[in-house]
Amino acid sequence: MSRNADVRTELLSVIERYVQFASTVKPFTSPGATAQYMLLVRSCNAFSAAVSLCMNGFFVESYNSARVGLEAGWLSLVLRRNAEKAFEWLTLVPSDTSMEAAEKRYRDTFGSPAWIRKEVSPEGKEQRDNLYEVLSKKSHANVAATFFV
């Protein structure tokens, strides 16, 4: 078996475990469970896209999908623990430019990767920040995004 086949098998195995975990969440039983399920599905889809891109040689392009997968996964953990925030996340879809207090608060929390990384857990925050920084640099149109590693 080639190294590529080994990596592919390992990545698909991780995605399969992710799907199995997401399938244990019962949506529509509570706001927290519904938000968690929706975000885990989004996260799993983003990671699957990242794997597909990598396996087809689009390494740089995979960074953004991986970043979205992490953001959605981390937010699912935050909302799982807080029914009030989960309900707010589920019921308010803000405009990107509105200055209304509720919409601005929404963007400053659920729309803020820094807030999500801080809220998910005090443990490991530095690692999350470092990983997110690498993925962000590779996800934007800058010189760092043109390198494969």
Side-chain angles (χ1 to χ4, degrees):
M1 191 178 244
S2 73
R3 172 124 169 84
N4 284 346
D6 289 343
V7 169
R8 179 180 174 79
T9 300
E10 186 173 338
L11 288 171
L12 292 175
S13 174
V14 169
I15 295 294
E16 183 179 326
R17 281 188 232 130
Y18 205 101
V19 169
Q20 288 172 348
F21 173 74
S23 69
T24 66
V25 178
K26 303 298 180 219
F28 312 113
T29 57
S30 72
T34 302
Q36 182 183 20
Y37 182 79
M38 291 170 70
L39 286 161
L40 285 175
V41 168
R42 175 68 177 102
S43 179
C44 187
N45 288 343
F47 284 130
S48 294
V51 167
S52 180
L53 288 164
C54 278
M55 296 311 297
N56 286 291
F58 297 101
F59 305 109
V60 173
E61 289 75 12
S62 71
Y63 287 110
N64 196 48
S65 292
R67 185 180 77 163
V68 169
L70 286 173
E71 287 174 9
W74 290 334
L75 185 55
S76 78
L77 296 174
V78 171
L79 299 184
R80 171 181 73 174
R81 296 188 307 256
N82 189 320
E84 184 179 319
K85 286 198 182 305
F87 186 76
E88 182 180 358
W89 181 81
L90 286 165
T91 57
L92 181 62
V93 179
S95 158
D96 287 340
T97 58
S98 172
M99 292 311 292
E100 287 197 33
E103 293 188 10
K104 185 169 179 350
R105 186 177 63 248
Y106 189 100
R107 286 192 308 275
D108 291 344
T109 55
F110 310 121
S112 166
W115 179 86
I116 293 168
R117 290 192 312 275
K118 180 179 71 83
E119 289 295 311
V120 72
S121 170
E123 297 168 11
K125 183 179 180 313
E126 185 176 343
Q127 289 176 320
R128 282 190 301 279
D129 287 347
N130 290 339
L131 176 60
Y132 191 83
E133 180 181 355
V134 168
L135 292 173
S136 287
K137 283 181 181 173
K138 301 287 187 167
S139 296
H140 294 284
N142 57 48
V143 73
T146 64
F147 300 117
F148 293 107
V149 183

